[in-house]
Amino acid sequence: QVQLVESGGGLVQPGGSLRLSCTASTSLLNIGYVGWYRQAPGKEREMVAQITGDITEYTDSVKGRFTISRDNARDTAKGFVYLQMYNLKPEDTALYYCHMWGSRSLRGRRFWGQGTQVTVSS
């Protein structure tokens, strides 16, 4: 079982910034697609951003404000995928989850972190 652990959430005022990080308990060789999802109270979980290779994808509401990045040269236990969030809005308030699809020995399996809370409020 792969453990994903998010960090970096918190309370921020509208217009502020946060950077989310995710660590993994497996080698980069076993990691395929990675991304960030979020779930607000009373709403379904939605994809925020995902990355594979040099290809990134964002949900429309965060385009131009959020940037996903992946560090393939770093120990996954110290962080391998990040979400830089600028110009945060109250509607960005949600529990943010790190997500990955496995590769190689973990092919076909998907994993989720426990989530980190982001609250945007004045």
Side-chain angles (χ1 to χ4, degrees):
Q1 184 71 9
V2 175
Q3 302 295 325
L4 299 177
V5 180
E6 306 92 338
S7 62
L11 174 63
V12 63
Q13 293 185 344
S17 302
L18 285 173
R19 184 175 186 252
L20 305 184
S21 299
C22 181
T23 63
S25 62
T26 188
S27 165
L28 278 170
L29 295 175
N30 294 325
I31 299 174
Y33 284 82
V34 296
W36 292 91
Y37 283 66
R38 67 186 179 186
Q39 187 167 20
K43 295 188 177 181
E44 294 187 353
R45 190 175 298 189
E46 65 169 346
M47 189 278 291
V48 176
Q50 60 184 15
I51 183 169
T52 178
D54 294 329
I55 300 173
T56 58
E57 181 181 355
Y58 299 91
T59 191
D60 287 345
S61 64
V62 308
K63 287 180 180 177
R65 300 189 297 120
F66 291 11
T67 301
I68 187 172
S69 60
R70 178 171 174 169
D71 188 345
N72 291 327
R74 187 178 175 89
D75 183 348
T76 56
K78 297 180 180 178
F80 75 105
V81 63
Y82 308 91
L83 185 67
Q84 179 67 56
M85 305 184 292
Y86 293 107
N87 190 22
L88 283 160
K89 304 177 180 181
E91 52 264 42
D92 295 318
T93 295
L95 191 60
Y96 283 70
Y97 296 92
C98 180
H99 168 263
M100 63 166 272
W101 280 100
S103 183
R104 299 198 180 196
S105 63
L106 298 178
R107 183 178 295 276
R109 298 179 64 185
R110 65 189 309 185
F111 301 93
W112 297 92
Q114 293 298 306
T116 185
Q117 179 67 39
V118 172
T119 302
V120 185
S121 174
S122 55

